[in-house]
Amino acid sequence: MVLYLNADAVLTSNGPSARVDGIGASNPVGPHCKDGAGTGVHCGSITSQNTTRFYSNAQSGGGDSGGPVLQNNTEIVGMVRGFDTALFAFEYIKFAAVLDGINAQPNPVGKGFVVTNN
């Protein structure tokens, strides 16, 4: 994927309804909220997890994939993935796994990603 930005593009951590000010726990537990373009903000609790994903009762739906999952209101801990029919739970990719995947590439764009508060 290639993104072209207009010359007047401004980098911001403010989304339509979510603000990301930091990176949360690598292995999040407890309550969280996701913000998806399709279904908006829904909150729930993490019910289980593995090395790269966690599962929750926080509802997500079509158009939400890639949306942020936050704890403590502004700390990103994951991204919306979908629904796991075997676990009957909504599935989220741990943000730590996303960063690990980026950093594992030989010359990755985004390596060393940090959240800035602006």
Side-chain angles (χ1 to χ4, degrees):
M1 172 185 283
V2 176
L3 298 176
Y4 290 98
L5 300 177
N6 294 341
D8 61 347
V10 177
L11 177 64
T12 179
S13 57
N14 283 321
S17 49
R19 178 181 174 85
V20 178
D21 282 335
I23 299 172
S26 297
N27 294 303
V29 295
H32 64 282
C33 295
K34 70 89 191 156
D35 188 4
T39 65
V41 176
H42 286 91
C43 300
S45 292
I46 295 170
T47 56
S48 64
Q49 61 182 292
N50 61 35
T51 306
T52 59
R53 300 183 183 189
F54 62 89
Y55 304 88
S56 164
N57 56 14
Q59 177 187 348
S60 64
D64 288 346
S65 294
V69 181
L70 306 171
Q71 285 190 316
N72 302 318
N73 296 322
T74 62
E75 294 176 351
I76 191 165
V77 294
M79 292 173 32
V80 177
R81 165 69 173 80
F83 188 80
D84 187 300
T85 55
L87 295 174
F88 201 72
F90 296 97
E91 180 180 24
Y92 300 93
I93 300 171
K94 292 180 181 179
F95 197 69
V98 172
L99 294 179
D100 289 347
I102 291 170
N103 292 332
Q105 301 303 311
N107 291 301
V109 174
K111 186 172 184 175
F113 172 85
V114 294
V115 176
T116 59
N117 185 347
N118 61 359

